[in-house]
Amino acid sequence: MSDDSTTECLLFPGIFLKPVVAQFDQREGSSDGGALLLKAANQHYRLVEELTACLRDERQAGKVDHTLQDLVAQRVFSIACGYPDGNDSARLGGDPIHKLLLGRDPKEGLDLASQPTVSRFENAVGVKELYRMGETLARSVIRRHGKRLRRRVYRVTIDLDPTDDPTHGAQQLSFFNGHYDSWCYLPVMGFISFNEEAEQYLCAAVLRPGNAPAALGAVGLLRRLIRILRGHFPGVTIRVRLDGGFANPALLAFLDAQTKLEYVVAMAKNAVLKRIATPGIRRARKLSASSGKTEHIYGEVNYAAGKWPHRRRVVIKAEVVRAPEKDPKDNPRFVITNMKQSPQWIYEQVYCQRGDVENRLKELHDLEIDRTSCTSFWANQFRVLLTAAAYVLMQELRLRAAGTACARAQVLTLRERLLKLGARVMVSARRWVIHLPTSFPFLPAFRLIACRLGAQSG
């Protein structure tokens, strides 16, 4: 408890069999005892170290208390534990577990960096450093899963998806976006999945102005990811899945020019495509009227929009949606692709699988990747990358939780089950002992994850 606190205890008389006193006097205690797993996960990724290597330290050496690696680690571990703001440093400064995560003595070691130090750090990173950090994040994730799969990778799927990041101040490049009906940024997130695995791993997080078109920067981001993937997995087939906002001529031309690359890109409906889909819609209406359920018919057409240099294959899903107490509604959908399989297989087995990206985006918002409250646009991009790094470590914990009750848990659930543990830290001349509760309901999962990350049972 800090010396300036006026709340020393709380009394609960008349509620329990005896008077209960809650006393805030545990100076060696922490509510983040399970965060030791984050440190262990980072030891396998070396993500904090690699991101730090992208930065230049221009401070005067004699006046430095906190190294760049300490600052990166402090922010990444704090964000993963639920402290996304620099202001949280004032509350966490003396936390023994967070000091331990930085390799400091949990009792006598130097406190964490203060909010002013964190703020200066976030605002000192330049554009070139941010680019290197973005590329390092992608390389680290790809290398980690290449090692996990022993390089037995025959297909990598890339999903890009934009999301809104509402702003509430005078942030640079914050604009009003009519689609989201708010002032915001419009970051784009990149995910990769391997072979037939369902999990989509975050590998890119790029902040963009609030008025950015959906496809802004997509070609550059895809070019970078494809180059890194080809370097790690020569000859691998790459599959790209995108929603309708990315379907512009420049991006499609880029995808067509790649070798061993498959793509499925949604396309907005227009008068010509709706007319082509009409026969299918008629058949779907008859089926729906007969069954009383939503029905759909698949088809395809070789189609060229006005600015396309040639025709491309477009898969058509002619669907009639039927809901209780509502009139049937026509819902034609269109997907551009260079794949050769049947329209139904392409739509249902390939394109629809990208829908799980929405769950990953929700998790990122739960981790508060939208806490971009700095005035500087580049400082906010730095925050986005730090949050992305924290999310990568949380995905590593989920990966290590295979076969446990945490195997498919959302990030917030993982935090509550594994990280938010009351702990007491005891310091002796020979070792540091972390006392965790025996009545911990997820102890088997915690122990298994810790052992998979290198802990030894003793």
Side-chain angles (χ1 to χ4, degrees):
M1 182 183 65
S2 60
D3 295 335
D4 60 354
S5 174
T6 59
T7 305
E8 297 183 356
C9 65
L10 296 173
L11 306 178
F12 294 90
I15 299 177
F16 304 98
L17 294 177
K18 295 181 180 181
V20 172
V21 179
Q23 201 151 356
F24 297 89
D25 59 358
Q26 184 54 262
R27 294 180 181 273
E28 294 81 27
S30 172
S31 61
D32 297 318
L36 300 173
L37 294 179
L38 294 173
K39 179 77 168 180
N42 183 66
Q43 289 298 105
H44 284 267
Y45 254 104
R46 308 295 295 174
L47 189 55
V48 167
E49 293 78 3
E50 291 183 7
L51 292 177
T52 303
C54 300
L55 304 175
R56 293 178 298 173
D57 195 349
E58 298 180 347
R59 299 172 296 174
Q60 297 182 28
K63 299 181 179 180
V64 172
D65 290 328
H66 309 279
T67 66
L68 291 182
Q69 183 169 314
D70 285 344
L71 292 170
V72 172
Q74 176 180 333
R75 293 294 287 127
V76 170
F77 294 147
S78 296
I79 290 169
C81 289
Y83 311 106
D85 285 327
N87 291 337
D88 294 317
S89 302
R91 308 180 189 92
L92 294 175
D95 187 291
I97 290 294
H98 284 269
K99 290 164 68 172
L100 187 60
L101 294 179
L102 269 60
R104 301 175 182 178
D105 187 294
K107 187 175 181 180
E108 304 296 336
L110 182 68
D111 281 358
L112 272 62
S114 65
Q115 182 274 327
T117 300
V118 169
S119 181
R120 286 193 297 270
F121 170 57
E122 291 180 341
N123 282 273
V125 180
V127 179
K128 292 182 179 179
E129 294 169 295
L130 290 170
Y131 181 88
R132 289 195 296 268
M133 289 183 73
E135 190 163 90
T136 295
L137 179 72
R139 289 186 183 280
S140 180
V141 172
I142 292 168
R143 184 179 64 248
R144 162 70 184 98
H145 294 289
K147 181 179 180 181
R148 173 177 66 87
L149 296 168
R150 300 179 182 178
R151 302 183 70 85
R152 295 170 184 167
V153 176
Y154 56 85
R155 183 175 63 245
V156 179
T157 301
I158 301 175
D159 291 291
L160 301 185
D161 217 3
T163 184
D164 63 316
D165 174 359
T167 55
H168 306 282
Q171 291 100 314
Q172 290 178 341
L173 301 182
S174 166
F175 293 104
F176 184 80
N177 188 298
H179 178 75
Y180 295 103
D181 194 27
S182 68
W183 290 79
C184 64
Y185 288 129
L186 196 66
V188 62
M189 305 297 165
F191 301 86
I192 54 175
S193 49
F194 299 90
N195 302 336
E196 305 301 328
E197 294 181 347
E199 184 71 21
Q200 295 155 320
Y201 299 98
L202 180 68
C203 65
V206 180
L207 194 65
R208 303 181 303 173
N211 61 352
L216 180 67
V219 170
L221 181 54
L222 285 172
R223 181 180 288 114
R224 180 167 64 180
L225 291 177
I226 291 169
R227 172 170 48 83
I228 297 172
L229 287 168
R230 297 286 191 213
H232 279 80
F233 312 112
V236 71
T237 296
I238 295 175
R239 181 178 290 171
V240 176
R241 298 184 297 204
L242 306 170
D243 70 12
F246 291 93
N248 68 21
L251 187 140
L252 292 172
F254 169 78
L255 295 176
D256 283 331
Q258 306 304 308
T259 58
K260 294 200 71 173
L261 185 142
E262 304 170 341
Y263 64 82
V264 284
V265 182
M267 181 179 182
K269 62 188 73 173
N270 58 39
V272 174
L273 288 174
K274 288 170 68 175
R275 185 171 65 252
I276 295 171
T278 298
I281 290 290
R282 291 199 191 104
R283 291 174 57 198
R285 284 177 190 160
K286 292 179 180 179
L287 291 173
S288 180
S290 175
S291 67
K293 302 177 182 179
T294 297
E295 298 287 355
H296 47 258
I297 299 293
Y298 290 100
E300 63 179 285
V301 65
N302 287 324
Y303 170 79
K307 295 183 179 181
W308 292 5
H310 56 82
R311 294 178 178 270
R312 294 184 173 95
R313 186 188 188 195
V314 177
V315 168
I316 302 171
K317 180 185 180 184
E319 183 178 55
V320 173
V321 178
R322 188 177 289 270
E325 300 180 2
K326 291 184 179 180
D327 294 333
K329 180 182 178 182
D330 297 344
N331 184 39
R333 297 296 183 93
F334 307 94
V335 172
I336 311 162
T337 184
N338 65 345
M339 298 178 66
K340 307 301 182 184
Q341 291 86 346
S342 71
Q344 181 173 357
W345 189 90
I346 290 172
Y347 196 93
E348 294 181 355
Q349 301 301 319
V350 180
Y351 180 73
C352 287
Q353 304 309 312
R354 72 174 302 277
D356 202 42
V357 167
E358 295 299 326
N359 292 325
R360 305 288 77 75
L361 293 177
K362 180 181 181 299
E363 288 186 318
L364 284 165
H365 283 286
D366 287 341
L367 214 56
E368 299 188 77
I369 200 167
D370 52 3
R371 193 61 68 91
T372 47
S373 55
C374 295
T375 300
S376 165
F377 177 83
W378 297 118
N380 286 325
Q381 169 67 78
F382 187 37
R383 281 193 170 192
V384 166
L385 284 172
L386 292 173
T387 308
Y391 182 74
V392 166
L393 294 183
M394 295 299 289
Q395 283 195 299
E396 178 69 10
L397 294 188
R398 181 161 57 201
L399 181 63
R400 301 285 183 163
T404 74
C406 300
R408 297 302 299 167
Q410 297 287 301
V411 161
L412 277 188
T413 304
L414 284 176
R415 178 194 289 166
E416 293 167 1
R417 291 182 178 180
L418 302 176
L419 306 186
K420 291 299 182 181
L421 292 177
R424 185 185 181 193
V425 182
M426 302 297 291
V427 178
S428 69
R430 294 188 301 111
R431 60 181 181 174
W432 300 322
V433 180
I434 314 299
H435 292 276
L436 300 172
T438 57
S439 58
F440 171 35
F442 296 98
L443 178 57
F446 186 95
R447 180 182 287 117
L448 182 59
I449 294 168
C451 290
R452 287 173 174 173
L453 289 170
Q456 298 178 1
S457 182

